[in-house]
Amino acid sequence: MKYGGILASVVLIAFGIGSMYTGINGRAEVRDTIKQEKIVGTPDMDKQIANKPVETGADAKLFADGIRKHTLEATGGQVYSEMDRFLTAAGKPTSDEKLAAIDKKTGEPVENGARNIWVTGTALSTALNTSFFAESVATFALVMGLALLLIGIGFLVMIYRLPVETAEAAERRKSPATKVAAGTA
């Protein structure tokens, strides 16, 4: 039983160290990657990133929120699913291909450019939100690694200390009984 406890402790400590390493490495990777993009918040974004570089997953999430705000402004408050696919000759949105203006170069119906703005904004904000999620997972791995490490160390302490404490307690229980028995005899 003692060796099983030692093995379990060593495994917990190893997983703890591995998880902490993964968490630290993951956070660093996310932050390094974000910094490489040299993103700076615009003045109308959240005060935590307005005119400041985006350096963390939390900053990236705030910037993604700013992109959504800008995208909604550019599309007149419409999301992708609310927009018509094409534009008429008068520049009005339509989903009817027959009413759409025809691009002279391609011969195809003129696309509604606002939909492209939405697609681009969604792609960028999704990447930024993924950075936020990745940094959150890395932080969770770090915290869980620390917990596993401490549990593993705690088990080792119990494995080595418990037999000593049990023996000491047994000795204390015997001693008073022995003295009482000797005194009455």
Side-chain angles (χ1 to χ4, degrees):
M1 186 162 145
K2 179 178 179 179
Y3 295 113
I6 292 170
L7 179 62
S9 296
V10 169
V11 168
L12 285 169
I13 290 169
F15 277 135
I17 291 169
S19 183
M20 288 174 62
Y21 173 79
T22 301
I24 291 168
N25 190 44
R27 283 176 56 96
E29 177 73 22
V30 167
R31 291 178 178 202
D32 289 346
T33 302
I34 290 172
K35 286 178 188 174
Q36 287 175 357
E37 297 304 317
K38 299 176 182 159
I39 302 168
V40 177
T42 59
D44 63 334
M45 289 186 176
D46 188 282
K47 66 181 180 178
Q48 290 179 296
I49 60 164
N51 298 315
K52 296 176 187 166
V54 174
E55 298 178 335
T56 67
D59 292 348
K61 182 166 180 24
L62 292 172
F63 195 86
D65 293 342
I67 288 175
R68 180 173 175 83
K69 176 184 170 221
H70 292 161
T71 303
L72 286 168
E73 288 170 358
T75 62
Q78 289 185 313
V79 296
Y80 184 85
S81 62
E82 296 173 323
M83 292 181 230
D84 291 309
R85 290 183 57 200
F86 308 109
L87 294 178
T88 65
K92 302 270 186 213
T94 183
S95 288
D96 187 347
E97 196 170 335
K98 294 174 186 168
L99 297 177
I102 302 298
D103 186 326
K104 292 177 185 173
K105 292 180 185 175
T106 64
E108 298 291 322
V110 174
E111 290 184 7
N112 183 348
R115 285 170 55 107
N116 294 335
I117 292 170
W118 189 265
V119 169
T120 301
T122 301
L124 293 171
S125 61
T126 298
L128 291 162
N129 282 322
T130 301
S131 296
F132 170 73
F133 178 73
E135 187 174 271
S136 297
V137 170
T139 300
F140 179 75
L142 180 60
V143 171
M144 289 306 297
L146 180 61
L148 289 170
L149 179 67
L150 293 175
I151 291 168
I153 292 169
F155 280 173
L156 273 180
V157 168
M158 285 177 46
I159 289 165
Y160 284 108
R161 188 68 191 138
L162 190 59
V164 173
E165 290 177 358
T166 304
E168 289 172 355
E171 187 62 37
R172 282 193 301 268
R173 283 193 304 266
K174 285 182 186 178
S175 295
T178 307
K179 290 178 185 175
V180 170
T184 58

